[in-house]
Amino acid sequence: MVTRPYSEQHPSTLAVAFGIDEWSVDVAPEDDDIEQAAVFPLPDALKLLGELDSATQLDPIVGYPAGAIAPGTTWLYRNRSREETRVARW
């Protein structure tokens, strides 16, 4: 999931990935702020996520499902004038 709660003064992005073993209901968000929601098999999800053009989106959201990082890993990036710099990862 990638959300973009932007404001002019404090732009930000929140990326969250969940792993599930089985899915048995339709995706039907009841929140008007959600523009789109879908569930994909892992190979399809990794392919789609690999098309993201921003490290602040790509590193966290692809790393966990690909098995490259541990669950709960957190990144902190600074974005200035479209330049993204990783400040910390824990």
Side-chain angles (χ1 to χ4, degrees):
M1 174 171 104
V2 177
T3 63
R4 295 178 181 214
Y6 284 124
S7 73
E8 288 291 322
Q9 189 174 12
H10 304 286
S12 60
T13 299
L14 172 65
V16 182
F18 297 96
I20 56 174
D21 293 325
E22 187 176 321
W23 190 265
S24 62
V25 297
D26 291 332
V27 177
E30 296 180 9
D31 186 327
D32 292 340
D33 291 335
I34 299 174
E35 294 178 15
Q36 184 179 12
V39 176
F40 299 95
L42 183 56
D44 297 344
L46 290 173
K47 181 179 179 200
L48 289 168
L49 293 169
E51 296 172 4
L52 296 172
D53 63 354
S54 164
T56 59
Q57 297 172 23
L58 187 61
D59 290 346
I61 205 164
V62 173
Y64 170 66
I69 58 153
T73 301
T74 303
W75 285 259
L76 176 62
Y77 286 88
R78 177 180 296 122
N79 297 330
R80 291 202 174 132
S81 302
R82 299 257 186 228
E83 181 180 330
E84 299 171 338
T85 305
R86 187 169 80 190
V87 176
R89 176 180 153 187
W90 62 94

